[in-house]
Amino acid sequence: MSLYHDAVSVLLAPAAGGSFKSRLYSSRSLRASPAQIYALIVEAAKWDIVLAEVIDNARILQLEPKLTPLLALLLVHDHLLAKNGIAAPSSHPLRQSIERHKTRLSAEFVKARVRRRCASVAALKDAVRREKAVRDPAAPVYPRWVRVNNLRSSRDAQLATTFATHTRVASLAALDHPDSPDAHTLLLDPHIPDLLAFPPRADMSTLPAYRRGDIILQDKASCFPAYLLLGDEPDVNAWSGDLVDGCAAPGNKTTHLASLLAKRKAAQDDDTHPHIISMDASPLRAKTLQKMVATAGADRTVTVLPGQDFLALDHADPRFRSVAGLLLDPSCSGSGIIGRDDVPRLVLPADRSATARGKSAARGKKGNPRPVEADPPATDAGNAEDENELATAHLDPDRLTKLSNLQTRIVEHALGFPAAVRVTYSTCSIHLVENEAVVARVLASDVARRRGWRVLRRDEQPEGLQRWTHRGIRRDPSAADLTVDLSDEQLEGCLRCWPGDEEGTGGFFVAGFVRDGPCDEAEEEDDDDQEDEEWEGFSD
């Protein structure tokens, strides 16, 4: 019976860092299988409207004082809809509290189906989905984003095989329309090549193409940095050289770089072999990075430096002499991540027995069972597969300032690599202090001024990103007194994503830096000496 108690605990627990799923899987206080708990909660959320209606009409909360509305909803879900019924022995009191009313519950479930004019349970499920969509028509659509991996396949090949039966639609809203019960639909993303969008409930993890690495699950906003750095057309970048992903785990951006290189090589029939050096300071996260690189078939293109701190890299190291482009996605507040508070909010039956229970408790009656309550489980801040491990809760201005300082140091360090001509900087934060303010500080730095670094203009960006509407901001909407001194052209070069809008992304920021013209060797050596002196105070 721990399954239902654990599910109640999870649903009542305060939000913590990481997504709902990652918090669930990393919790050490649960007795039931996290996979079972997750499946129960997600499935019950799909039926909550009908289940609440059935429970109310059957009046079991008034008849069974041991049940709370939430516990009753989970138990009735499994009683009516789970293949094996309630996951508890037949003698268990809570199971008996439901099965004592099985005739009444079944009758009310049939009435709910008939009222909706549904001939089958499957039809009822679709009707409930449409009903929920009507109740909340303004809810943002967060589709299932899928990137085709050019190292193992191509978009055309996947459209002709894995997704051959899918109907193409023209907008995110049409992906999961209430009038399309099968929702076997997809959208070709207009901004990122090889990116496809599917209905939110689409399960890609069971597809052979996913297991082979032909497709990779990656949010749209997370695809911006690699595409901004490399583009996908032969004439986008006149520069060539090796690449560095300085804060790489879990590996989505590294493998996206490798995919773009593979596509460019095929288009140009290019015999050159640019290499990607990828690293993460966390040894645990680096293991996830290595696994993802292998799954994507990027082993020949990518060298992983496990446990390597990007700030500890030596510009003079021969391994980095040919590095022309760097991708930086350092730790941030994670304030733009959707799903940190994504615990499903279930429609619950009315607890008409609460008043009676309260009166009994006030009178001090013995033997009157109390409603089931569970302590919220302890949760960790996430796991190695999260894009960012930092929780968003209770971040004060001092914490944001420290993050901004670290982010600025990382970008400035990247600008000092001798052959570097392109750098992208990104965060999954919505805070100006971590985004445009970092860009302004970097442009004002000694290394940027000495070496001629500037913001990559909008008209220099890949075609798909030139069409992206949302750009940098000068004033923080959550802190009106915080502004940045960037020109309109520089702000136009910054790209933003906002959670909850019509684009189906979380909050995200990315800016590109470009250096015009090479530096001679004497200048490079002088730069390195000056930077060594500048960073001497940060060494361990």
Side-chain angles (χ1 to χ4, degrees), residues 454-507:
R454 60 176 175 81
V455 172
L456 183 70
R457 298 191 308 270
R458 183 172 184 170
D459 65 341
E460 297 172 312
Q461 295 170 2
E463 182 181 353
L465 293 183
Q466 288 184 36
R467 296 193 299 268
W468 184 253
T469 303
H470 305 297
R471 297 284 154 170
I473 58 175
R474 182 169 281 111
R475 184 182 299 274
D476 192 326
S478 63
D481 58 336
L482 182 59
T483 61
V484 292
D485 186 18
L486 292 174
S487 68
D488 290 344
E489 181 179 80
Q490 289 167 337
L491 290 174
E492 275 291 294
C494 301
L495 298 97
R496 269 189 175 265
C497 300
W498 296 98
D501 70 5
E502 71 284 356
E503 300 290 353
T505 69

Side-chain angles (χ1 to χ4, degrees), residues 45-167:
K46 296 176 183 177
W47 289 94
D48 58 350
I49 294 174
V50 166
L51 294 174
E53 182 181 311
V54 167
I55 292 169
D56 280 339
N57 292 338
R59 301 169 61 85
I60 64 171
L61 287 176
Q62 294 169 276
L63 299 170
E64 299 291 343
K66 292 179 67 175
L67 296 177
T68 63
L70 182 52
L71 186 58
L73 188 140
L74 298 174
L75 289 165
V76 171
H77 171 273
D78 276 9
H79 172 70
L80 293 174
L81 296 162
K83 182 178 180 180
N84 297 318
I86 295 174
S90 59
S91 60
H92 195 285
L94 283 183
R95 177 169 172 173
Q96 291 179 344
S97 70
I98 298 298
E99 294 186 344
R100 272 195 291 269
H101 312 283
K102 61 182 180 181
T103 301
R104 185 183 290 109
L105 288 169
S106 296
E108 292 298 339
F109 187 67
V110 171
K111 290 178 184 178
R113 178 170 58 80
V114 172
R115 276 194 293 270
R116 291 167 174 82
R117 299 180 181 181
C118 296
S120 65
V121 173
L124 176 61
K125 187 175 184 180
D126 288 330
V128 171
R129 182 176 62 84
R130 291 193 296 270
E131 189 175 332
K132 290 169 75 72
V134 170
R135 288 190 178 199
D136 192 9
V141 177
Y142 292 117
R144 180 75 66 183
W145 295 104
V146 174
R147 174 172 61 80
V148 176
N149 177 21
N150 291 295
L151 288 158
R152 295 197 182 278
S153 186
S154 68
R155 190 186 75 171
D156 290 344
Q158 289 302 306
L159 292 176
T161 55
T162 304
F163 307 119
T165 61
H166 284 64
T167 300

Side-chain angles (χ1 to χ4, degrees), residues 226 229-230 243 245 253-262 276 327:
L229 186 66
L230 277 181
L243 305 170
D245 187 349
K253 298 176 183 67
T254 288
T255 57
H256 192 193
L257 286 174
S259 178
L260 290 169
L261 287 178
I276 301 169
L327 187 153

